[in-house]
Amino acid sequence: MATLTMLEPASTRPMVRGTDGFQDITTETSNTASEGFDTKSALEIARIINHDDAKVAAAVRKALPEIAIVIDIVARSLRDGGRLIYVGAGSSGRIASLDASECPPTYSTAPAQVQYIMAGGPKALASASDVNEDSPEIGQRDIARRRPTRKDIVIGISASGRTPYVVGATEYARSRGARTAAITCNPNSDLSQVADITICTEVGAEVISGSTRMKASTAQKMVLNMITTGAMTRLGYVYDNLMVNVHMKNAKLVERGIRVLMKVCDIDRDTAIRTIKSAGKSIPIAVVMLKANVDKMEAVRRLQKSDGNVRLAIDDSRLEL
């Protein structure tokens, strides 16, 4: 929400970190490909957006080396008992909340392992928040409540790379010893200056100028999906390309678990159901029991020894990340 102070000339109001040079941010510039957008037909509008969206994957591809580094940092943090904590505002915060909330049902992680902090709190997920995302102090306060430590990694997400709330939170987390990463769509941003590593996906100007819920958010979702999927795979919560750590809390996920076990172990449905029951409804335990030909107690021991890595539990060895 704009305030009278924000509308004052820059020379007469206090400096707010991250608001200078706003016109130089590529995600805020005008997109020549969508000029005259409001005069286009529905099909023309869809074509223009689709053509622009095609640039996202290429922008993400250029950041793959940095994404890979963050994947391994996240995997180490989670293995060592730390947490992945996302921090965002607006669309960036909503994308982060989506990724964090999908980790428990997909990989059976504890809710505390992958968290998100949203400017304005959970209520801001569905509507605009009264909390000022221009306040680094509020960002610092919110992350301080999570007590970040050296075991954690905190990832600040901001399309512009200048959102003071996110910059403040990331900077505070780093001062407390946490590893930090920035995910942004603009190079040389304030956020990148306070993070250990930056993932920059330069998607360029939006079809609707400044509407970073479009290409920028698409890039952010792709990156966050890569990070958590990569980290969980490195931790051994994926066997081959199958979701062996699925949390069977509803009918759909129960069916998925049965099919995963049938596929991994090349068994029939009745054998899969029987094994899952004897494994205490744990797919990882069931997989190790069948693949290593051991009982439940031995499967549990192997999984504990391998920190939950299913493939290494089958081999009775230990992953070194």
Side-chain angles (χ1 to χ4, degrees), residues 104-109 236-238 242-247 283-284 308 310:
T106 308
Y107 302 109
S108 290
T109 56
Y237 299 165
V238 172
L242 298 171
M243 199 186 300
V244 291
N245 239 43
V246 62
H247 182 48
I283 298 299
V310 173

Side-chain angles (χ1 to χ4, degrees), residues 4 11 32 79 84 98 144 150 197 208 214 275 287 293 307:
L4 291 177
S11 59
T32 56
R79 185 198 63 185
L84 163 58
L98 179 63
R150 294 180 184 276
I197 184 169
I208 304 297
M214 301 183 77
T275 307
V287 170
N293 193 27
D307 293 324

Side-chain angles (χ1 to χ4, degrees), residues 27-71:
T27 50
E28 296 293 330
T29 57
S30 180
N31 190 333
T32 56
S34 58
E35 290 177 352
F37 198 62
D38 64 323
T39 67
K40 307 298 183 183
S41 70
L43 182 57
E44 288 173 320
I45 287 172
R47 281 175 174 162
I48 291 170
I49 294 174
N50 179 249
H51 182 267
D52 228 45
D53 284 346
K55 302 174 183 177
V56 177
V60 173
R61 187 181 306 120
K62 292 179 181 179
L64 290 180
E66 293 78 20
I67 293 171
I69 292 171
V70 174
I71 285 173

Side-chain angles (χ1 to χ4, degrees), residues 220-241:
Q220 289 170 352
K221 186 177 191 304
M222 291 174 69
V223 171
L224 298 192
N225 283 173
M226 284 184 184
I227 290 171
T228 48
T229 300
M232 300 305 172
T233 302
R234 294 282 287 145
L235 288 168
Y237 299 165
V238 172
Y239 185 85
D240 194 10
N241 64 347

Side-chain angles (χ1 to χ4, degrees), residues 302-319:
R302 290 183 178 211
L303 284 165
Q304 290 174 339
K305 181 180 178 182
S306 67
D307 293 324
N309 188 301
V310 173
R311 185 176 292 276
L312 295 180
I314 294 169
D315 297 334
D316 197 20
S317 57
R318 186 178 180 86
L319 177 66

Side-chain angles (χ1 to χ4, degrees), residues 10-266:
S11 59
T12 64
R13 59 181 170 83
M15 179 72 71
V16 178
R17 184 179 186 179
T19 57
D20 285 351
F22 198 67
Q23 68 278 4
D24 298 326
I25 301 174
T26 58
T27 50
E28 296 293 330
T29 57
S30 180
N31 190 333
T32 56
S34 58
E35 290 177 352
F37 198 62
D38 64 323
T39 67
K40 307 298 183 183
S41 70
L43 182 57
E44 288 173 320
I45 287 172
R47 281 175 174 162
I48 291 170
I49 294 174
N50 179 249
H51 182 267
D52 228 45
D53 284 346
K55 302 174 183 177
V56 177
V60 173
R61 187 181 306 120
K62 292 179 181 179
L64 290 180
E66 293 78 20
I67 293 171
I69 292 171
V70 174
I71 285 173
D72 275 340
I73 294 172
V74 171
R76 290 192 186 99
S77 292
L78 296 180
R79 185 198 63 185
D80 294 340
R83 301 164 294 174
L84 163 58
I85 305 174
Y86 293 134
V87 182
S91 296
S92 297
R94 295 182 184 99
I95 293 294
S97 72
L98 179 63
D99 193 69
S101 65
E102 290 181 341
C103 285
T106 308
Y107 302 109
S108 290
T109 56
Q113 287 181 284
V114 182
Q115 305 180 19
Y116 72 92
I117 296 176
M118 171 80 176
K123 67 179 182 180
L125 294 176
S127 60
S129 170
D130 292 332
V131 172
N132 192 345
E133 66 181 48
D134 291 333
S135 171
E137 292 79 16
I138 296 177
Q140 292 166 3
R141 179 202 66 191
D142 288 353
I143 189 67
R145 290 173 174 166
R146 305 294 174 98
R147 300 178 182 273
T149 72
R150 294 180 184 276
K151 289 185 176 183
D152 302 321
I153 174 169
V154 174
I155 300 181
I157 309 162
S158 167
S160 68
R162 304 186 122 205
T163 309
Y165 176 94
V166 178
V167 174
T170 305
E171 189 171 29
Y172 177 87
R174 191 180 188 186
S175 74
R176 305 303 296 176
R179 296 298 300 273
T180 55
I183 296 178
T184 180
C185 297
N186 289 282
N188 306 315
S189 65
D190 291 350
L191 186 57
S192 67
Q193 299 304 310
V194 300
D196 296 312
I197 184 169
T198 297
I199 297 170
C200 183
T201 56
E202 296 185 63
V203 296
E206 299 285 3
V207 166
I208 304 297
S209 300
S211 182
T212 53
R213 75 184 187 90
M214 301 183 77
K215 283 189 302 183
S217 286
T218 300
Q220 289 170 352
K221 186 177 191 304
M222 291 174 69
V223 171
L224 298 192
N225 283 173
M226 284 184 184
I227 290 171
T228 48
T229 300
M232 300 305 172
T233 302
R234 294 282 287 145
L235 288 168
Y237 299 165
V238 172
Y239 185 85
D240 194 10
N241 64 347
L242 298 171
M243 199 186 300
V244 291
N245 239 43
V246 62
H247 182 48
M248 298 186 296
K249 66 176 184 178
N250 59 41
K252 179 187 75 173
L253 296 179
V254 168
E255 182 61 30
R256 182 175 296 162
I258 294 170
R259 291 180 177 276
V260 164
L261 191 60
M262 291 172 63
K263 174 71 173 178
V264 170
C265 300
D266 192 22

